[in-house]
């Protein structure tokens, strides 16, 4: 049976979590494996660290904000130094998208640039149930703090959003992030004005920046050489039929029994159900963006029972209906395409 590597997090980031919290001994972190700048920790160990830092459920709703706002370049390992030597916030955002796996493989950062603003998103790749909301807030607040390293302490994004419900007061979020903050949103993200992103920053050392990027690229190649089981299953699902596909089908490709596959994915902080749901989401988006197929034709292609189930699932994924998403993606305004509008009114059974 092949060895299975879990999603990992840079030990430097785990140290930053402890350093930013009141009880630095909460995780019992000593020198040991954490002493090496290249050390990495399993996601499950970092989750346990957050358990200790936050305490009982609802114990410290602002722990993530404090961690993100106190992050230093060293806490983000080489990514922090790449950001410091970036010529602009746009270049720093590109670095965050490319090199975030060096900090953590438990989530991805993406940036979508529009005509006037850019949306920088964070999406967990582990099962959301295994990640505290504070962990997500630490990432988003860390984005804002890292931008301030080069843009100045008074810089702020235009807005921020989180998919989870706010449990504490709104004041710390507005104070630390410096912008309007929405909760129960479709995505974890910050919105930045393109004029801010493109403004040249000084001082800037392109030669030092090139050295940091070369080092980061080497570490990224080394990290990518050991692909997690979750990523292998994710890649398999990208090309598999999603109607009726189960763990046994994927297990044959990775040479694991369905039971072992499920257990191994759980150890990596995710599940077959979460990966399948993510694959359906990605394929639906691709079909909406690149085809004019009606929803009742798309639904079986992504393993859902009908147009109604697709509308319900897509609204959960994106916060908008498939018709609205397709209209935005194609630049259509007003009532949108008739081909996508009609199937949304059809009834049908629930998700398959």
């Amino acid at each position: 049976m092949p060895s299975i590597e879990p999603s990992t997090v840079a030990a430097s980031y785990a140290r930053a979590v402890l350093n930013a919290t009141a009880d630095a001994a909460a995780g019992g972190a000593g020198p040991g494996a954490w002493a090496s700048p290249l050390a990495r920790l399993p996601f499950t160990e970092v989750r346990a660290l957050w358990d200790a830092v936050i305490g009982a459920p609802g114990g410290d709703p602002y722990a993530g904000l404090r961690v993100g706002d106190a992050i230093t370049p060293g806490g983000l390992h080489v990514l922090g130094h790449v950001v410091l030597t970036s010529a602009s916030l746009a270049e720093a955002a590109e670095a965050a998208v490319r090199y975030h796996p060096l900090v953590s493989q438990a989530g991805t950062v993406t940036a979508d640039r529009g005509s006037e603003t850019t949306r920088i998103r964070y999406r967990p790749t582990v099962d959301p149930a295994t990640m505290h909301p504070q962990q997500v807030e630490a990432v988003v607040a860390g984005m804002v703090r890292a931008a301030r390293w080069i843009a100045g302490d008074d810089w702020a994004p235009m807005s921020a959003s989180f998919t989870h419900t706010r449990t504490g007061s709104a004041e710390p979020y507005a104070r630390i992030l410096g912008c309007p903050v929405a909760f129960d949103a479709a995505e974890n993200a910050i919105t930045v004005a393109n004029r801010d992103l493109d403004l040249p920053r000084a001082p800037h050392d392109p030669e030092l920046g090139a050295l940091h990027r070369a080092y980061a690229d080497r570490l990224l190649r080394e990290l990518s050489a050991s692909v997690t089981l979750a990523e292998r299953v994710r890649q398999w699902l990208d090309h598999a039929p999603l109607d009726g596909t189960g763990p046994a089908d994927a297990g044959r490709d990775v040479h694991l029994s369905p039971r072992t596959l499920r257990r191994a994915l759980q150890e990596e902080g995710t599940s077959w159900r979460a990966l399948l749901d993510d694959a359906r989401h990605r394929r639906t988006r691709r079909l909406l963006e690149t085809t004019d197929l009606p929803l009742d034709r798309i639904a079986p292609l992504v393993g859902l029972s009908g147009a109604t189930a697709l509308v319900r699932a897509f609204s959960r994924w994106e916060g908008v209906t498939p018709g609205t998403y397709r209209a935005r993606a194609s630049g259509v305004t007003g009532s949108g395409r008739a081909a996508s509008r009609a199937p949304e009114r059809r009834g049908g059974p629930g998700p398959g």
Side-chain angles (χ1 to χ4, degrees), residues 199-267:
L199 187 66
R201 305 294 174 181
H204 168 55
D205 187 339
E207 292 184 0
L208 182 58
L211 287 174
H212 287 317
R213 284 177 177 270
Y215 180 50
D217 284 331
R218 179 168 70 82
L219 293 180
L220 196 62
R221 287 193 298 271
E222 293 174 357
L223 185 65
S224 300
S226 178
V227 180
T228 66
L229 175 64
E231 183 58 31
R232 291 163 64 191
V233 172
R234 191 175 290 112
Q235 293 172 2
W236 182 86
L237 283 167
D238 278 341
H239 304 285
L242 299 182
D243 186 12
T245 296
D249 303 300
R252 281 192 292 271
D253 188 69
V254 297
H255 310 293
L256 296 174
S257 70
R259 180 178 180 181
T260 301
L261 178 74
R262 289 183 184 277
R263 184 173 65 248
L265 290 175
Q266 184 177 10
E267 290 173 357

Side-chain angles (χ1 to χ4, degrees), residues 270-281:
T270 187
S271 66
W272 166 259
R273 182 175 181 178
L275 293 175
L276 180 59
D277 188 64
D278 189 49
R280 286 171 169 163
H281 180 192

